[in-house]
Amino acid sequence: MATIIDGKAISAKVRNEIKEEVEKMAVKPGLAVIIVGEDPASQVYVRNKAKGCEEVGFYSEVHRLPEQTTEEELLALIEKLNESDKIDGILCQLPLPKHLDEKAVINAIRADKDVDAFHPVNTGKIMIGDYDFLPCTPAGVMRLISETGIDVSGKKCVVIGRSNIVGKPMAMLLLQKNGTVTICHSRTSDLKKECLQADILVVAIGKAKFITADYVKPGAVVIDVGMDRDENGKLCGDVDFAGVSEVAGAITPVPGGVGPMTIAMLLTNTLKAARLKGKK
């Protein structure tokens, strides 16, 4: 039976570290979260982010904008937050309503306040390994791996998914830790063959319980980034946890694995942004 990698416990440790630092600061780090529309999943994420800020002692603002908000109005708000001394980090909750240009919105957030690390300047810095911020989910995965005492160096790492938010930066971070990395996606010709070679398998495809035990090398570390609903409407991941946990050496559950780490890393990035601005 696999070791369960407890994201809740590791996230609590990270938050506690941040809280201790913030208590010593004269000026508190500030995070602004923007949400446009009423997407239920986004509403939950935003509530959790605000709760996280409160827990560690950050100043926070939540800007809830109606679905029909124009791009001009949204960009004007971002510009105002870019100039605010109270705000060190800005996050615009994705996805945005279809009439808004996601790329233009991401580019409008100042790179030194881009705590999601989606701005082209920050993604470029990740590519060369000289970064200020990391995308929150891949950074959370790396912290889970590190806290579990797993050494990436020399390991065969397979990432399923090639999104800009998870797959691509995930591959870069594993590579920077000297893993040998393969990225798989919908056009990969023999996915099972690739997965069976993985010492570390990171799954981010958005298909409930897609990865079953016959895809997993015995003793492999399996990180499930998915957040799906099964046939009964119950929360689950991209990995069939019950089956895979019988084969893997270590595995993250859903919920309680990668999810809590994403917000913990957002708080980490915001603290770093405040430090870079000279807040003490």
Side-chain angles (χ1 to χ4, degrees):
M1 186 71 181
T3 300
I4 308 301
I5 303 173
D6 188 346
K8 280 186 182 174
I10 296 168
S11 162
K13 180 184 174 184
V14 173
R15 288 176 190 227
N16 200 47
E17 290 167 359
I18 294 168
K19 186 179 180 181
E20 284 177 7
E21 274 207 57
V22 172
E23 282 169 356
K24 299 171 195 163
M25 295 175 74
V27 184
K28 306 304 179 197
L31 176 67
V33 178
I34 304 167
I35 179 167
V36 186
E38 299 295 329
D39 180 74
S42 292
Q43 295 284 351
V44 172
Y45 288 137
V46 167
R47 275 199 301 275
N48 288 341
K49 283 162 187 172
K51 190 177 165 189
C53 285
E54 187 181 350
E55 190 185 317
V56 299
F58 285 2
Y59 168 76
S60 75
E61 296 178 3
V62 177
H63 297 267
R64 300 180 188 278
L65 304 180
E67 182 92 21
Q68 61 272 23
T69 297
T70 66
E71 194 168 305
E72 190 179 14
E73 288 167 334
L74 178 54
L75 294 178
L77 172 60
I78 290 170
E79 188 50 41
K80 184 180 163 192
L81 296 170
N82 278 338
E83 297 306 316
S84 170
D85 289 334
K86 276 186 172 180
I87 299 301
D88 303 297
I90 303 169
L91 179 151
C92 191
Q93 187 66 42
L94 303 178
L96 290 168
K98 288 190 168 43
H99 68 282
L100 298 172
D101 182 350
E102 209 166 271
K103 189 175 170 185
V105 170
I106 289 167
N107 290 354
I109 296 170
R110 230 167 65 184
D112 63 335
K113 293 192 176 191
D114 167 41
V115 286
D116 255 337
F118 293 162
H119 192 284
V121 167
N122 289 325
T123 53
K125 284 182 169 185
I126 292 159
M127 179 66 73
I128 60 172
D130 179 21
Y131 46 76
D132 295 319
F133 311 119
L134 291 173
C136 301
T137 299
V141 170
M142 294 307 290
R143 183 72 187 251
L144 286 175
I145 291 171
S146 161
E147 289 281 340
T148 313
I150 296 154
D151 186 8
V152 174
S153 184
K155 300 285 197 310
K156 172 77 174 170
C157 307
V158 173
V159 178
I160 311 179
R162 54 177 166 180
S163 72
N164 292 333
I165 294 172
V166 180
K168 289 177 189 172
M170 190 73 253
M172 283 298 108
L173 298 188
L174 289 164
L175 190 60
Q176 284 163 19
K177 291 292 181 183
N178 300 314
T180 300
V181 185
T182 300
I183 304 176
C184 296
H185 44 77
S186 58
R187 301 294 178 90
T188 298
S189 59
D190 192 343
L191 181 62
K192 187 180 285 189
K193 181 185 171 188
E194 297 292 347
C195 290
L196 282 167
Q197 295 179 51
D199 301 307
I200 298 172
L201 179 63
V202 182
V203 189
I205 48 173
K207 292 185 178 178
K209 300 183 182 179
F210 182 83
I211 296 297
T212 48
D214 55 331
Y215 279 75
V216 177
K217 177 181 175 179
V221 177
V222 180
I223 307 287
D224 189 349
V225 182
M227 191 67 78
D228 313 297
R229 297 275 174 187
D230 66 13
E231 61 281 0
N232 303 312
K234 191 180 173 187
L235 206 59
C236 68
D238 293 346
V239 174
D240 175 25
F241 183 84
V244 172
S245 59
E246 297 291 331
V247 181
I251 189 170
T252 58
V254 178
V258 175
M261 294 303 296
T262 299
I263 292 177
M265 293 299 112
L266 171 67
L267 300 172
T268 300
N269 281 348
T270 304
L271 175 60
K272 186 166 188 189
R275 292 282 196 218
L276 289 170
K277 274 178 67 183
K279 285 189 178 179
K280 292 177 182 177

